[in-house]
Amino acid sequence: VIFHIDDDLLNVPIELGQHKYDYHNHPLRLAAINYLLNHADLVYCSTEVLRKRLVALGIQSTSISGKISCFGRVLTPATLGKVRKIGYMGFDHAHDLALILPALVLFLRGNPDIQFELFGSIPKPSELDEFGDRVTTIPPVRDYESFMSEFAALGWDIGICPLAPTSFNATKSINKWVEYTSVGAAVIASAGTIYDDCCAEGRGLLANTTTEWLAALDMLVSDNDKRFNQVLRAQKH
């Protein structure tokens, strides 16, 4: 019996929403997770940080972590051209997106020709209402192959990866960076998080403050060559 786990499912926080919190913290579910962690022949963790977290919690089963968590392939090659669309893809992570809303509002005000899209289950924040139909939402697609196919068809030039510095997020994998890169989007991510390594050596931009996020967005919009080469390096990696 191999148990694959890709989040700290023993400590799902309320920030992911009341429904998800109640679901993951139901006593019967927690009991099932604990049973698997202590009785499976092997616990296969998506990241080494997650494996160490579970070991610290006292799991009894043998555990390993994969060097590659999310397989990626280039669906949309890097394209040199003007930025027309940026976006955020995610599920139940409105608290992460909230980190960069001030910068996003300033950016959209200063770039009236650029659209912003939300792909997934996150509702449109009220802070973006002023932009009308320039901000659109696309419902989640649960089948992964269909999800990636539709994602590639959206034609995003920039994908954002804001991530709150929480204990839960520290165990997550870099799937979002892989998926953005697969569809040809240049990545901007929160600095000091899981994205530091994958964004190193020019494969992504890192930011924390509103000023840094706005500067990163403006840089990729104003320098098409820089954005193109960033995506090339990321896709090669």
Side-chain angles (χ1 to χ4, degrees), residues 141-153:
V141 178
R142 299 298 177 181
D143 174 74
Y144 193 71
E145 287 294 325
S146 299
F147 156 73
M148 286 304 299
S149 177
E150 183 163 341
F151 194 17

Side-chain angles (χ1 to χ4, degrees), residues 190-209:
S190 291
T193 68
I194 59 172
Y195 296 113
D196 284 7
D197 288 341
C198 60
C199 287
E201 300 177 341
R203 299 186 295 265
L205 296 179
L206 297 169
N208 267 331
T209 66

Side-chain angles (χ1 to χ4, degrees), residues 11-22 25 92 95:
N11 295 284
V12 174
I14 189 66
E15 285 83 2
L16 297 187
Q18 189 67 52
H19 174 74
K20 202 163 190 176
Y21 176 82
D22 291 341
N25 288 283
D92 307 306
H95 63 294

Side-chain angles (χ1 to χ4, degrees), residues 2 51 60 85 125-126 134 145 171 176 188 223:
I2 299 175
R51 191 191 72 81
Q60 300 300 308
K85 190 184 295 185
S126 59
R134 287 177 57 204
E145 287 294 325
T171 66
K176 199 183 301 293
I188 307 173
D223 193 333

Side-chain angles (χ1 to χ4, degrees), residues 13-203:
I14 189 66
E15 285 83 2
L16 297 187
Q18 189 67 52
H19 174 74
K20 202 163 190 176
Y21 176 82
D22 291 341
Y23 173 79
H24 283 285
N25 288 283
H26 191 286
L28 290 177
R29 181 173 173 83
L30 288 175
I33 298 295
N34 270 298
Y35 185 87
L36 289 166
L37 290 173
N38 290 296
H39 292 84
D41 298 299
L42 180 69
V43 175
Y44 187 91
C45 305
S46 57
T47 70
E48 180 62 12
V49 175
L50 176 59
R51 191 191 72 81
K52 289 180 178 177
R53 172 78 56 81
L54 296 175
V55 169
L57 291 173
I59 69 168
Q60 300 300 308
S61 297
T62 299
S63 61
I64 61 170
S65 63
K67 291 182 179 181
I68 298 175
S69 172
C70 179
F71 169 76
R73 57 190 175 92
V74 176
L75 299 176
T76 305
T79 303
L80 181 61
K82 184 178 179 181
V83 172
R84 300 186 183 278
K85 190 184 295 185
I86 67 173
Y88 176 71
M89 176 271 294
F91 300 83
D92 307 306
H93 286 271
H95 63 294
D96 291 323
L97 180 61
L99 294 173
I100 62 132
L101 282 177
L104 186 58
V105 167
L106 291 172
F107 173 77
L108 291 174
R109 286 175 181 168
N111 296 271
D113 296 329
I114 292 180
Q115 293 180 294
F116 178 69
E117 289 184 339
L118 287 163
F119 186 19
S121 58
I122 297 177
K124 184 178 75 171
S126 59
E127 289 90 340
L128 302 179
D129 287 345
E130 67 176 270
F131 304 106
D133 59 7
R134 287 177 57 204
V135 176
T136 56
T137 58
I138 298 132
V141 178
R142 299 298 177 181
D143 174 74
Y144 193 71
E145 287 294 325
S146 299
F147 156 73
M148 286 304 299
S149 177
E150 183 163 341
F151 194 17
L154 294 178
W156 288 5
D157 301 299
I158 301 172
I160 55 176
C161 295
L163 195 67
T166 66
S167 176
F168 181 79
N169 282 342
T171 66
K172 296 186 72 62
S173 58
I174 61 166
N175 292 13
K176 199 183 301 293
W177 179 91
V178 173
E179 289 157 352
Y180 283 165
T181 298
S182 294
V183 300
V187 173
I188 307 173
S190 291
T193 68
I194 59 172
Y195 296 113
D196 284 7
D197 288 341
C198 60
C199 287
E201 300 177 341
R203 299 186 295 265

